[in-house]
Amino acid sequence: MSPTGTARYRRYRLLARTYPPGPRRAELLDTMLMVAEDTGRRRPSAREVANVLRHAPRARLGRPGNRLVVPVAIAVSILSGFVAASLTARAYGETDRPLPSTAEMAAIAEMVTPDVEDPPLQRHDQVFVNGNGEAQFGQVRYEVEYPGPMPDPCAYGAQGADRLTAAGWRLTPALDRTGPCVAETLTATRGGWVLTFGNYYDDTAPANGGWFDVSVRRTEPAAMPVGFAAGGLLGMVLGWFFAGWASRRTEHSTAASGALALLAIVAAGNSALLINFVVRDYLTIIDQGFSFHEGPIWSWTVLGDEGMLLLFPTILATVAAAVILAATRQPRGTAPRRVADRSTLTRVGWPLTLVTFGLGMLSACTGFGLFGCDLFVAALLMAIALTVHRMRNRPAAATPPPHPAG
């Protein structure tokens, strides 16, 4: 074969590999090479690429003639990625980094609100759920009324900002010190802490003054954005494979297939608002290094948080889908798919990987964040190694038995 022909074959073979292994892939490759030979084309055209990429995902999911299977699989993949990213972020976020001690918080209070003596401190070393059903960062805070008439909040905030800057705190974002105002909020960071100072003024009753709300919490770990993205990508890949498995399991049951598609759409639609909120908060963390909200981006995973209540239809749809998949059986008379003999490494490795991943989730949900993060990484590396082992030891396709002579 000429060099041009070799390059042509490699290009078309790469495109054909988007289809699952089997006679359909070989037939597609032969047809495209035949057309390319007749037309003198050296590489696939844009129309050929688009057409193959439009149909290949359906074949990968086991439903070549179904147009709905790809959108449903994408919805499942996004939802799975969202859950995995949130759990990974929680594994990073639940650490034992210290909050300010009583003496350190008293020094901060003296710097931010010098007019207030001995403010009543409230300490929460871990994430907690407040009275409104909102999960909040672990923090040290105090809220006090201003002792007497309050000056211009912006001017007062500007003085506090100058003292914070002189002490090495970095204001984020820059404080706007112009114009009269009835409230002022500033945020500053230093040494892994985020300080939020709220200065509120009751303009309807100036003689009553106003109140201060000061809190110090931890910044997000530096590796959390990377872990969030890695966990999300891994979850999306697993969600895609799970959607393909579910598609093949229910391919002989129209009722089960339709019910699963409806449940996937309901789950994705219900969680779309929260996913959008979490992604926007994630981009803020990348830009600023911390979130401006009172709770972490994984707060919906905390038992009692209102986000979990918001996702109740999604949780219910997931449980219903699991019941349908468990109840679906392959009809009698259908030829079972040939399952290759698994090696000892595969038989032991995959259950061990699932156990490791489950322990990582359990650790993330019970406060052992660093240990859970290590388990997630170990499960990911084990899954990659087992996948590579399976690809390198994939058995050849079985030859169909000859027809008996009649």
Side-chain angles (χ1 to χ4, degrees):
M1 182 179 292
S2 64
T4 302
T6 302
R8 174 195 296 164
Y9 175 78
R10 290 176 179 173
R11 296 187 186 107
Y12 278 96
R13 183 182 61 180
L14 179 62
L15 179 60
R17 283 184 175 177
T18 57
Y19 268 73
R24 177 57 182 149
R25 178 198 284 185
E27 179 185 354
L28 175 66
L29 179 59
D30 291 341
T31 302
M32 291 192 298
L33 288 174
M34 186 183 302
V35 173
E37 186 71 27
D38 294 340
T39 58
R41 191 179 297 135
R42 297 185 177 183
R43 58 179 52 86
S45 64
R47 183 176 180 181
E48 286 178 324
V49 173
N51 190 42
V52 171
L53 294 182
R54 184 166 63 93
H55 292 86
R58 303 180 194 173
R60 286 280 181 181
L61 294 169
R63 302 291 184 94
N66 192 319
R67 297 183 178 181
L68 185 61
V69 66
V70 174
V72 169
I74 292 176
V76 173
S77 179
I78 292 175
L79 187 58
S80 177
F82 168 66
V83 174
S86 299
L87 292 177
T88 306
R90 181 168 184 172
Y92 276 99
E94 288 197 331
T95 63
D96 294 327
R97 291 175 298 151
L99 287 168
S101 63
T102 301
E104 291 172 328
M105 193 64 190
I108 293 174
E110 176 66 23
M111 180 171 46
V112 177
T113 55
D115 307 273
V116 179
E117 297 182 359
D118 298 327
L121 300 182
Q122 302 176 17
R123 174 178 291 273
H124 298 277
D125 290 319
Q126 300 296 332
V127 174
F128 67 100
V129 179
N130 62 17
N132 297 325
E134 300 171 343
Q136 292 187 272
F137 289 104
Q139 59 186 261
V140 183
R141 67 182 299 270
Y142 65 89
E143 182 177 330
V144 292
E145 294 183 356
Y146 188 77
M150 180 184 291
D152 180 14
C154 284
Y156 193 95
Q159 296 172 6
D162 292 337
R163 291 190 292 268
L164 287 172
T165 302
W169 291 80
R170 182 175 65 89
L171 296 178
T172 308
L175 179 64
D176 184 7
R177 306 181 180 182
T178 61
C181 59
V182 296
E184 181 64 71
T185 301
L186 63 87
T187 305
T189 59
R190 189 189 71 176
W193 292 340
V194 179
L195 183 149
T196 303
F197 168 61
N199 184 358
Y200 305 99
Y201 178 59
D202 187 3
D203 61 335
T204 60
N208 295 335
W211 69 96
F212 298 126
D213 188 357
V214 181
S215 66
V216 177
R217 62 175 177 85
R218 308 175 183 92
T219 59
E220 279 76 1
M224 192 276 287
V226 178
F228 182 90
L233 291 176
L234 176 61
M236 292 181 69
V237 172
L238 294 178
W240 178 269
F241 284 126
F242 176 79
W245 172 81
S247 173
R248 292 181 176 86
R249 184 176 179 86
T250 59
E251 62 182 336
H252 300 290
S253 176
T254 305
S257 299
L260 289 178
L262 179 61
L263 290 173
I265 294 173
V266 170
N270 172 249
S271 58
L273 180 63
L274 186 59
I275 292 176
N276 177 64
F277 174 81
V278 169
V279 170
R280 292 174 60 184
D281 205 11
Y282 171 70
L283 296 177
T284 301
I285 294 174
I286 294 178
D287 182 43
Q288 300 292 339
F290 63 94
S291 170
F292 288 103
H293 297 287
E294 296 181 345
I297 61 176
W298 45 268
S299 59
W300 70 269
T301 65
V302 178
L303 186 63
D305 181 72
E306 61 182 2
M308 185 171 290
L309 180 61
L310 178 64
L311 290 180
F312 180 75
T314 299
I315 298 173
L316 189 61
T318 303
V319 173
V323 172
I324 293 175
L325 288 171
T328 302
R329 293 290 184 269
Q330 195 171 28
R332 295 180 179 179
T334 304
R337 297 180 180 271
R338 180 179 181 272
V339 179
D341 295 335
R342 296 188 300 172
S343 64
T344 303
L345 178 61
T346 304
R347 288 197 301 268
V348 176
W350 283 115
L352 185 59
T353 302
L354 293 176
V355 170
T356 305
F357 185 77
L359 290 176
M361 293 180 60
L362 182 62
S363 301
C365 295
T366 54
F368 297 94
L370 294 178
F371 181 63
C373 176
D374 294 337
L375 290 177
F376 278 132
V377 174
L380 175 60
L381 295 177
M382 292 166 63
I384 294 175
L386 289 171
T387 302
V388 173
H389 171 75
R390 180 182 178 183
M391 294 178 63
R392 296 183 61 180
N393 296 274
R394 178 179 297 173
T399 304
H403 293 284

